[in-house]
Amino acid sequence: MAEDRPEDAVKTLEEGVGLAPTVWRLWQLLGNIHSDLERYQDSATCYRRALECPATDASSIHLNMAIALARQEKHAEALEALEGVTEEACHLRRTAMTLDLLNSLGRHGEARALGEQALAVKSREEQDNASMAGIYAGLGRAFWEEGRQA
């Protein structure tokens, strides 16, 4: 049954982390599925466990932590989690998410400044169109919200 598939994934990944508790990718994926299922306390536990593993991709884990926090509308905490996203490969995604969170917190001026800065320095060879679209959307929202407050 299709509706049982997420639970099958949880069971499989729980078995996996039981057998290989130091493999961060298993913990992160289990955290992602818990987040998708709105089991945020479980997802947070999984992300913490992932960060404790050797040779982790801390940027990826922190990004997923921020996504789970944003889903809970814990925008300030999500911004804090994004501070752990330091890999250059995640820069555009982090910027797009930061813009969205700043706007959600009513910090439209900061969002506008960040968006303008990001677009001023973006490489013409950027391949992450989804993140670039998020930056444009965040900047547009910041302009719109600032205009409504004036």
Side-chain angles (χ1 to χ4, degrees):
M1 289 180 225
E3 63 271 3
D4 293 334
R5 302 312 283 181
E7 292 305 326
D8 291 343
V10 168
K11 287 177 189 174
T12 300
L13 288 165
E14 285 175 343
E15 185 177 319
V17 296
L19 294 171
T22 61
V23 177
W24 69 270
R25 289 179 193 258
L26 294 174
W27 284 110
Q28 178 178 266
L29 186 54
L30 183 56
N32 293 352
I33 293 171
H34 280 308
S35 175
D36 289 345
L37 295 172
E38 299 180 1
R39 298 176 188 161
Y40 299 116
Q41 188 169 8
D42 291 335
S43 70
T45 298
C46 291
Y47 295 138
R48 281 192 298 275
R49 291 292 302 268
L51 288 170
E52 294 169 359
C53 293
T56 65
D57 181 345
S59 288
S60 179
I61 297 164
H62 280 100
L63 182 63
N64 283 287
M65 289 172 71
I67 291 167
L69 290 163
R71 287 175 172 174
Q72 298 170 76
E73 298 188 20
K74 295 181 178 182
H75 306 300
E77 290 178 52
L79 276 175
E80 287 179 35
L82 285 177
E83 292 175 13
V85 180
T86 58
E87 289 293 320
E88 186 62 31
C90 298
H91 176 72
L92 288 176
R93 190 148 184 220
R94 174 189 174 178
T95 300
M97 189 168 187
T98 300
L99 280 163
D100 187 52
L101 292 167
L102 289 171
N103 278 319
S104 293
L105 289 166
R107 294 164 54 184
H108 309 297
E110 290 175 67
R112 181 185 39 76
L114 177 62
E116 289 174 338
Q117 177 188 14
L119 294 179
V121 298
K122 76 175 179 76
S123 167
R124 298 220 183 266
E125 297 183 21
E126 293 293 350
Q127 297 298 312
D128 187 355
N129 290 333
S131 292
M132 288 305 299
I135 291 169
Y136 280 104
L139 181 57
R141 180 178 172 198
F143 281 128
W144 182 67
E145 293 286 358
E146 281 186 318
R148 290 180 53 192
Q149 293 174 351

